[in-house]
Amino acid sequence: MASAPPDIDLLRTGLARYLGYANELGEAFHPLAPGWCYNASYAVAGTYVCADAAWRARALPADAPRSGALEAADTLLWQSLASVAIPGAVINRIVWAAGKFAPPASRIPTIAGLCAIPLIIKPIDHGVDAALDTFVRPLYPKQKEE
């Protein structure tokens, strides 16, 4: 009896997915935490992005329309934008803006950043999907049809 193929979305559907949000926490806590915590949050998120790309390339079914290398590249691009760059920039600007109105050494910017995280995830994910589907994925090489 053949074993079932691995779940290609294992790192996107399990608890490991939350590692991709580490940099948003780093951005939210940036005014209060030491710099190494901020840097470590990006290291955790970057490691998650690379792990997901490697996992998806290796877990790709034999009849997949894309090669493992192309799947890894697509995953790296998507995750870099949807999990690290865009949400990090959004939370950074929210914390910055809240800091303009809060008293010095206030926790208000961090609270604002933390509250924004669950609100920005889905819209950013959908926006990155739409952008890649419109501008990038049509440029991918056509795969052989059997």
Side-chain angles (χ1 to χ4, degrees), residues 5 59-66 146:
L60 204 60
D63 60 347
R66 296 195 277 230
E146 299 188 28

PDB file of all heavy atoms in Angstrom, residues 5 59-66 146:
ATOM      1  N   PRO A   5       0.802  11.136  -0.075  1.00  0.00           N
ATOM      2  CA  PRO A   5       1.792  12.196  -0.302  1.00  0.00           C
ATOM      3  C   PRO A   5       1.751  13.202   0.853  1.00  0.00           C
ATOM      4  O   PRO A   5       0.719  13.383   1.498  1.00  0.00           O
ATOM      5  CB  PRO A   5       1.337  12.835  -1.614  1.00  0.00           C
ATOM      6  CG  PRO A   5      -0.101  12.491  -1.741  1.00  0.00           C
ATOM      7  CD  PRO A   5      -0.292  11.180  -1.033  1.00  0.00           C
ATOM      8  N   ALA A  59       7.437  18.629  -1.223  1.00  0.00           N
ATOM      9  CA  ALA A  59       6.145  17.950  -1.052  1.00  0.00           C
ATOM     10  C   ALA A  59       5.282  18.036  -2.310  1.00  0.00           C
ATOM     11  O   ALA A  59       4.157  17.569  -2.307  1.00  0.00           O
ATOM     12  CB  ALA A  59       5.399  18.561   0.141  1.00  0.00           C
ATOM     13  N   LEU A  60       5.805  18.602  -3.355  1.00  0.00           N
ATOM     14  CA  LEU A  60       5.050  18.791  -4.592  1.00  0.00           C
ATOM     15  C   LEU A  60       4.642  17.434  -5.173  1.00  0.00           C
ATOM     16  O   LEU A  60       5.478  16.549  -5.319  1.00  0.00           O
ATOM     17  CB  LEU A  60       5.924  19.545  -5.592  1.00  0.00           C
ATOM     18  CG  LEU A  60       5.243  20.337  -6.680  1.00  0.00           C
ATOM     19  CD1 LEU A  60       4.345  21.413  -6.084  1.00  0.00           C
ATOM     20  CD2 LEU A  60       6.268  20.974  -7.579  1.00  0.00           C
ATOM     21  N   PRO A  61       3.371  17.261  -5.502  1.00  0.00           N
ATOM     22  CA  PRO A  61       2.954  16.005  -6.124  1.00  0.00           C
ATOM     23  C   PRO A  61       3.613  15.819  -7.491  1.00  0.00           C
ATOM     24  O   PRO A  61       3.980  16.792  -8.156  1.00  0.00           O
ATOM     25  CB  PRO A  61       1.439  16.163  -6.287  1.00  0.00           C
ATOM     26  CG  PRO A  61       1.048  17.346  -5.480  1.00  0.00           C
ATOM     27  CD  PRO A  61       2.270  18.173  -5.277  1.00  0.00           C
ATOM     28  N   ALA A  62       3.757  14.571  -7.909  1.00  0.00           N
ATOM     29  CA  ALA A  62       4.414  14.262  -9.184  1.00  0.00           C
ATOM     30  C   ALA A  62       3.684  14.885 -10.372  1.00  0.00           C
ATOM     31  O   ALA A  62       4.303  15.244 -11.367  1.00  0.00           O
ATOM     32  CB  ALA A  62       4.521  12.755  -9.358  1.00  0.00           C
ATOM     33  N   ASP A  63       2.373  15.041 -10.253  1.00  0.00           N
ATOM     34  CA  ASP A  63       1.586  15.584 -11.372  1.00  0.00           C
ATOM     35  C   ASP A  63       1.345  17.093 -11.244  1.00  0.00           C
ATOM     36  O   ASP A  63       0.467  17.654 -11.900  1.00  0.00           O
ATOM     37  CB  ASP A  63       0.254  14.848 -11.480  1.00  0.00           C
ATOM     38  CG  ASP A  63      -0.596  14.983 -10.218  1.00  0.00           C
ATOM     39  OD1 ASP A  63      -0.063  15.429  -9.180  1.00  0.00           O
ATOM     40  OD2 ASP A  63      -1.785  14.635 -10.272  1.00  0.00           O
ATOM     41  N   ALA A  64       2.147  17.776 -10.434  1.00  0.00           N
ATOM     42  CA  ALA A  64       1.976  19.219 -10.233  1.00  0.00           C
ATOM     43  C   ALA A  64       2.294  19.976 -11.525  1.00  0.00           C
ATOM     44  O   ALA A  64       3.159  19.557 -12.295  1.00  0.00           O
ATOM     45  CB  ALA A  64       2.877  19.703  -9.116  1.00  0.00           C
ATOM     46  N   PRO A  65       1.597  21.088 -11.761  1.00  0.00           N
ATOM     47  CA  PRO A  65       1.831  21.847 -12.993  1.00  0.00           C
ATOM     48  C   PRO A  65       3.148  22.628 -13.000  1.00  0.00           C
ATOM     49  O   PRO A  65       3.590  23.062 -14.052  1.00  0.00           O
ATOM     50  CB  PRO A  65       0.644  22.803 -13.049  1.00  0.00           C
ATOM     51  CG  PRO A  65       0.200  22.947 -11.638  1.00  0.00           C
ATOM     52  CD  PRO A  65       0.513  21.630 -10.964  1.00  0.00           C
ATOM     53  N   ARG A  66       3.775  22.801 -11.846  1.00  0.00           N
ATOM     54  CA  ARG A  66       5.045  23.539 -11.768  1.00  0.00           C
ATOM     55  C   ARG A  66       6.138  22.627 -11.247  1.00  0.00           C
ATOM     56  O   ARG A  66       5.880  21.683 -10.517  1.00  0.00           O
ATOM     57  CB  ARG A  66       4.916  24.732 -10.817  1.00  0.00           C
ATOM     58  CG  ARG A  66       3.948  25.782 -11.260  1.00  0.00           C
ATOM     59  CD  ARG A  66       4.155  27.058 -10.486  1.00  0.00           C
ATOM     60  NE  ARG A  66       3.509  27.078  -9.196  1.00  0.00           N
ATOM     61  CZ  ARG A  66       2.731  28.064  -8.776  1.00  0.00           C
ATOM     62  NH1 ARG A  66       2.505  29.095  -9.532  1.00  0.00           N
ATOM     63  NH2 ARG A  66       2.207  28.014  -7.590  1.00  0.00           N
ATOM     64  N   GLU A 146       0.990  16.489 -20.798  1.00  0.00           N
ATOM     65  CA  GLU A 146       1.161  15.092 -21.223  1.00  0.00           C
ATOM     66  C   GLU A 146      -0.061  14.583 -21.916  1.00  0.00           C
ATOM     67  O   GLU A 146      -1.121  15.011 -21.832  1.00  0.00           O
ATOM     68  CB  GLU A 146       1.486  14.247 -20.009  1.00  0.00           C
ATOM     69  CG  GLU A 146       2.776  14.728 -19.385  1.00  0.00           C
ATOM     70  CD  GLU A 146       3.248  13.807 -18.299  1.00  0.00           C
ATOM     71  OE1 GLU A 146       2.942  12.617 -18.346  1.00  0.00           O
ATOM     72  OE2 GLU A 146       3.920  14.301 -17.401  1.00  0.00           O
TER      73      GLU A 146
END
